[in-house]
Every structure is written in C-alpha cells, then in structure tokens.
Amino acid sequence: MPESDNIINDVTSSEYKYGFISDIESETFPTGIDEDIVRLISKKKGEPEFMLEWRLKAFNHWKKMKMPDWAHLQIPPINYRDIIFYAVPKQSAKYESLDEIDPEIKATFDKLGIPLEEQKKLSGVAVDAVFDSVSVKTTFKEALSEKGIIFCSMSEAVQNHRDLIKQYLGSVVPYTDNYFATLNSAVFSDGSFVYIPKGVRCPMELSTYFRINALNTGQFERTLIIADEGAYVSYLEGCTAPMRDESQLHAAVVEIVVMKDAEVKYSTVQNWYPGDKQGKGGIYNFVTKRGICKGENARLSWTQVETGSAVTWKYPSCILQGDNSYGEFFSVAVTNNYQQADTGTKMIHIGKNTKSRIVSKGISAGFSQNSYRGLVKVLKNATNARNFSQCDSLLLGDKCGAHTFPYIEADNASAILEHEATTSRIGEDQIFYCNQRGIKTEDAVGLIINGYAREVINQLPMEFAVEAQKLLQISLEGSVG
Amino acid sequence: MNSPETSPMIEKLEQEFRVLLKQGDHLPEWFNEIRQNAFDVFKMTGFPAKKDENYKYTYLEPHITPSYQIPAHPVTIKIDEKEIFKCDVPELNTNLVLLINGFFYGKERLKKLSSGVIWGSLNEAILKYPDLVEAQYGKHLSQMNDPMAELNLAMSQDGFFIYLPDNTEMDAPIQIINIALNEDEQFISTHNLIIVGQNSHVKLVLCDHSLSPQRFIMNSASEVVAGKNARIEFSKLQNSHNHSVQVSSVSVSQDEGSNVISNYITLHGGIIRNNLLVNLNGKGAVNDASGLYIADKMQHIDNFVQIQHQSPECHSTQLYKGILDDISMGVFSGKILVAKDAQKTQAFQTNKNILLTSDAKVRTKPQLEIYADDVKCSHGATVGQIDEEALFYLRSRGIDNKEARLMLLHAFAHEVMKKISIDPLRDRYDELVNKRLRGELSRCNNCAVNCG
C-alpha cells in the first residue's frame, strides 16, 4: 500500500503545535538539589514552619530512595544536579487586572487558547494558570468565593488556609509514597488548591493550565482537591510545554479527598512536548495522582487523554474506602515516534459495595511503546465489590509495541471482578468499508480512531472533548499500518 | 543486583553439589559443565527474592530449610510395581515409567524400539547417546532465567528421557509416575528430556505423587522439543500431600507446524509453583496450554505461564481455571509475548477463578507484550462466585443446594478437562475432580489412576 507511506510521512511531519518559547525572564535558582535549595524554596514562598519541616522530611527520605525501574520504560539516567528546581516568571508581582499581565504571557495563553480573559466568561471556565511554577492569575475567584468555594494557588492556600493544608496535604499521597512523589513533596513550587464546602455544587468547571517554559526546569506542582459532604466539582487540567531539546522533568502530585455523598471529576488533557521524530528531547512525565473516597456514596472519576510527553509514568488511582463508593478511570493514551507510556490505574476496594470501572484505550504508532498497568485490589472486608476493566490496544505500524500488565488481587469471596483486553490493528476490512462509501483512507482512519476513543472522550467536558479530538487527529492523522 | 547473603540452605546445597559433581565424574564433561554453570548462576541470584516480580505472590525461601536431605543415590528397596499400579482405568494402556525421588526405577534402564524410539533413564541416555542429549539438554530450560530451573540443572542426576526419530508414533501414551518416597525430609531434583522428531507423535501423562507422609521439596524440570509438524500431548496430574513444596519448570520449544497441548490438573499438594515457558520458534506452530487448580486448607498454587511468539502465524491459547476454598491462595501469571516480526499471530488467554470462602485469595496477572501489529490477541480474567441464577435454575428443578453447587463447580472445571484427548484418562480425571470437590479425595496415596 503506497498510500501508507504517505500517511506515515504525514504523521511524522506533523509538528508540535504548541512548541513556542515565551521570551520572558524567569527568576531561577541554581541547578541541583540539596537541603539549602529546599529551605530556599520554602523561604521564597514565605511558608510556615510546618511546611518547611515537611519538605525537609521528604527530602531526607528521598535521598535514601532509588528510582523505580519496574515500569516498561527505557529512561536515560536523570541527573538531578542539572535540573533547576524552581523557576518563576520574573514579574511575579500580584496582578489586579488583566492589563497588568505581561503581554508575552498573555500571548502565550492566547496561543494555547485558554479563556483567561474575563470576557470569555461565557465559556464558563475558571482558570488557575500555572506558568512554570507560580500561579499567575486566578479567574472567577470572586464568583466562586460567594459560594464558599476556595480555588487558589497552593502557595496562597498555605498562607490563608493553613488548617486545611495541615489536615489534608499528604493525607492521600504521603511524602514517603514513591520516588517522584517524595521528590515533589520536597521541592514542589506551586499548584492548585480547591475546597468545595458541604453541599455546594460548583457552578462551573474549574481548570488549570500547566506549562513548562524555562529551559531545564523541572515542574513540580502539587494539586489538592477537597470535596466536602455532598459537594460536586469537575476539574480540568491541561498541560503543554514548548519545544526543548533536553528532556524536562515533570513530577507532579495530585491528591483528591472526596467525602460522603460528594463527587469529583478530574479530567486531564496532556500534550507536553513529546520529543522530535528521532526521540530527542521531550518531557518526562512522572505523576502520582490519587484520590480517596472517604465517605459513603462518594464518587471519583479520572479521565485522561495522554498524547504528549517523551516518557509517561502515571497511575491515577482510587481508594474506595467509604461504603458504596464508586471509582472510575477513563484513559486514552497515544504514543508516536519514540514516545513511551506506562500508564494505568489502581482501584483499591476497602468499603462494602464499592464499585469501579476501568476503560483504557491505548494507541501506538511509530516506534513507540505503550503499556497499560493496573491493579484491582479487593480487601478482605470489601464485600460485594465489583470491578469491570477493559483495556484495548490499537497498533498502527509494525515497529511499535502495545503491552498490558493488569494485576488482580481478590481477598473477598463476594467480589466480582472482570478484566478483558484486546490488541489489534485497524482492519483492512474497516478501511475498505469506508473507502467503498467514498471516505478517503486518511479520513477513515481518523473516523475509526475517534470511534475507538469515543467512550473515553465522551467523559470529558465539551470544550475539552473538542480539544482532545483535535489532539488525537494531530498526533495520529491518517496513520495506518 | 546485590548478591544475596549466603543462606544456610545455599551453603548446604553447595556442599551437596560438590559431592554430586564428584560422584558424576564418569559423566561427559559437557554435562558437568552445564551443572557447574547452572549452579554458579543460581548462587548469584539465590532463591527467588520477595521482590522478584516473577515470584511476587509466591515466596519460597522460608519453606526451604537445611533440614531437607538431598538424595544422592537411587532407592535400593524393592518396590512391588504391581502393587502400586493397580491401574483401574478401564481401557487405558500406557507404557509405564517410574521415577522415585527423581531417579529412574526399573531393571531395563533404556529401551530402544524397532521404530528407533529410545526411552528410559536420562542418566543412562547421557552415557549411551551423549550426542542426542547434548544437542538439547539445558538449552531450553536456561531460557527461563529462573533460579529454580538453574538449581534443577545443577542438582538433577536422572529423570526420564525419550527420543522419537522422524515419522514415528508411540503405540500408547507414556505414563511417568514421579513419586516421593522418603523416610526423612528430602529435596528432590529430577529432569525429563523429551525430543520428538519431524511428523512424530507422542502422548505423555505425568503424575506427581507422594507415598510417604514426610515433608519434601520437589524441584522438577522438563524440556520438550517438538520438531517440524510434531504433535505432543502432555498432561500433568499433581496430587501429593499438603506438606510438600513443588516447583515444576517446563520449557517447550516448537518448530514449524508443530502442535503441543499441555494440561495441568492440580488437586493436592502444599505449595505448588508451575513454570511453563513455550517458545514458538517455527512458523505456524500451535500451542494449547490449560490448567485446573482446586485448592483448600492452606494450599498455595501458582501457575506462571509464558508464551513467546517468535515466529509468524503461530497460534496459542491458554485456559486456566481455579476453585479456591478455605484459606487457600491461587495465583495465575500469564504472559503472551509477540516478537517484532511475528505477524499474523493469534494468542488468547483466559483465567477464571471461583472463590468459595471469604478467606480464600486470588492473584491474577494476565499480561500482553506485543511488538507486532498484525495480531489478534486478547486476554480475560475473572474472579467471582457460583452464578446465583444458574443455582436457582437447578434448585427450581428439585436439585438440592449442595448437589446443585457441586454440579456447577464440576461444570466449571470440566471446561479444562475436556481438552484431554485420552478418553479413559479424561473420564478418570472427571471422577477425581468430582471426588475432590466433594472432599472425598483427601490424599492420594497411590498413583493417579488408582486413587479410588
């Protein structure tokens, strides 16, 4: 099929759309990490004593840890001495109105299509934009605060909501959790903080945009979301990074606490720079995301569309502690060229009648490796636990790999657990069917991929779904094996 | 990896290994070289560590203590074969092979049939047909990269050997009875080598049993080599007492167009680990692996299966089913690997488990690792209970609760059994499983086909 050559060309030639570098002066720290850097970060942010102590504990623990090597990933050794652990856009004064924002930053956000400006209020998105490591501007804050909702940067939360931070920070992902989470605990620069009070339904979708700008900076943001009894919130996170030759490290932590009868939906569209066609550069995306359904009937839903990053290591998880709680994980992971992804979820059933559902769709093309890794664990007292997992892989091209590593651990006889997975490529018969009806091969592939990922994309809020679909097209346009 | 601290057991094994090696100085040099290399590899890694991903759910080391003796010589006592093998499976004609504590038992140590088939003691074959053995011995097992398999290569002195030249067929299935007969606690190693030439066909029945109540460790291994278009059927029944630790490593290499069917039925035996590695090296090879494990009390059964599609157009299926009662634990790890150029592969894997009590545990790890695009692969795993609706259906037809449950369990198990092509054997297994489920088969004192 000569057409397939063209198509492969198309795929490999599609450039990274968000690869531009903002010409903003950043205030950065010296490279490397030691206790002084940790102290400096804490001091710079004017943190109270307990935060510094927590960071130092994490740092001392991290020194004793080794980088995990169990994932199906080839990661070149990371030299933590060459990384700048903290970078702030220079004009880090507080902004009161939009006009005060550095026009360069605004232009960057405009290119990204973030509705940062107030006039875009109609789109109903409140944005907490994290540019490098400091939250630049939080929109819609007032509208939210009327309802008692707290949506601010982590730094502000540390200043203004100490009790909540003290109570919940590290309660889901403790500082000893894993190598990258521990590193994050020691050096995290900023992130978002959300608190939805009892019985409040957040009137709009909350959104954060992460973007790595400065050269050689690691982005270590930390997000904490607390939904109190009966609350509801839908949270969106999007990530991009400009093109850089050297790989950049991104080790984030997201913690979510869902109380009784509350519901949290967390959606991510991740399109960090994946590296070039030869696999040079790109982001290392090592993220720990975990939520706990603390009370009865709590619901937590993770949706992710992963198209970027050179290396992805990410397992958004649910701890289903409350009786009748419900966890969901929807994922589309696309890898192309030399990208590697090892992603999946953990569902830990602790409470009675807990249910979980996993839908994972992997698409690999080029020379990439795409793995699903997941754990479904039913503890002894979790009677009537129910899980259904489906993880499908689609292979486009004969140089890529698709892998599935599910773990099922059942300690309760009343558990009903099902796992199914298939691996296949786009069938010639499917293409033929479309061709026959006048649809070009390239469009047909787009159509089939969209159909394949639909179950997950449907979970996303509308604006995100549109973007996710576009991203899928950009990443894979017309590639057929 | 850090080399582990030498445990007392490894020290003891090393001492014994030196003795065995000395004892075997009349054996060919290449054979002793394989043993020495294998022991060096084992000593480097030690017993599978707790963090070893492949042994994630089965931690053997605490069960292997220096109190076990290593049998250096075959038993000399006279065994009345007729007494042991009152074969009560009607119409089952088999060629019987007896292995006691890993050693071939019988006067005629190696037979050569007119068809050119050679079978008997491995130890004897090493001396009489060194070229045949040397070409294959250890080559397939070492691909497993498993410390227990290496330990087997180091410590094994004897076992069963069969060689079928091209275009031959055995008149009847071969039944290999592997018995632990010991007065003290023993650590037994035994190694089978099965070489089947082009277009040849053989059926093998392996039975693991214990005749005495003492604790023992059985570290057995088999290497199965299937030539072009060869057909091998391989059925293993594990039915030893519950104080044993059994590690069985089977490595299968398949050439073009060959067909290997393997079947594991595990009824009794304390801690059991079955390693199965299949390499589909030739185009169009077919492998069908299945297993049934029924465990109660404190038993622990771990099936670790790796099917590696190295060539195009191969076909593999795995079906493993488990019924777990009391505080037993069932583990299944299955991995399908499809190499880069193994296009048109079809590989399917299923693992189903029934938990009968809230203390029984299941760990399952069905994995796919795929590097080719034109493939059809799927896997599925379930953990659940007896279907209440099916139960209701039976109850509504006047079948009492207990009987209905047994019927459903038996039907669940039968799916694996029906893959056995030797009819009398299948019927017998069906009966054994039925008894096992009813709890009437407490411990099999005798051979597989005489457990009545």
Side-chain angles (χ1 to χ4, degrees), chain A residues 7-24:
Chain A
I7 287 160
I8 285 169
N9 270 339
D10 282 356
V11 173
T12 44
S13 60
S14 77
E15 293 286 329
Y16 186 61
K17 206 171 93 176
Y18 303 104
F20 45 85
I21 298 164
S22 300
D23 195 11
I24 309 162

Side-chain angles (χ1 to χ4, degrees), chain A residues 66 70 72 369 373 375 380 391 395-425 481, chain B residues 2 53 56-57 335 340-341 343-344 355-385:
Chain A
K66 267 195 197 146
W70 43 260
H72 193 89
Q369 301 295 336
R373 186 183 301 276
L375 169 72
K380 206 170 169 323
C391 32
L395 289 149
L396 310 171
D398 56 2
K399 307 271 187 309
C400 50
H403 320 297
T404 319
F405 305 105
Y407 290 72
I408 299 169
E409 303 188 4
D411 287 357
N412 187 297
S414 60
I416 299 178
L417 312 175
E418 289 168 287
H419 175 96
E420 57 181 55
T422 58
T423 303
S424 55
R425 63 171 187 171
Chain B
N2 301 331
E53 179 67 22
K56 190 177 166 78
Y57 300 119
K335 185 185 259 181
K340 214 168 190 173
D341 300 311
Q343 299 293 4
K344 309 253 181 239
L355 288 171
L356 294 178
T357 67
S358 58
D359 292 310
K361 291 185 174 76
V362 165
R363 303 281 182 268
T364 165
K365 237 170 63 171
Q367 310 193 333
L368 300 174
E369 207 174 319
I370 295 164
Y371 297 94
D373 67 328
D374 190 4
V375 298
K376 268 194 188 138
C377 295
S378 73
H379 66 190
T382 59
V383 180
Q385 304 78 42

Side-chain angles (χ1 to χ4, degrees), chain A residues 458-478:
Chain A
N458 275 349
Q459 300 294 324
L460 290 171
M462 220 257 291
E463 302 86 348
F464 253 36
V466 174
E467 190 185 339
Q469 252 178 23
K470 272 192 210 149
L471 271 175
L472 274 185
Q473 265 156 21
I474 291 169
S475 316
L476 285 166
E477 209 162 35

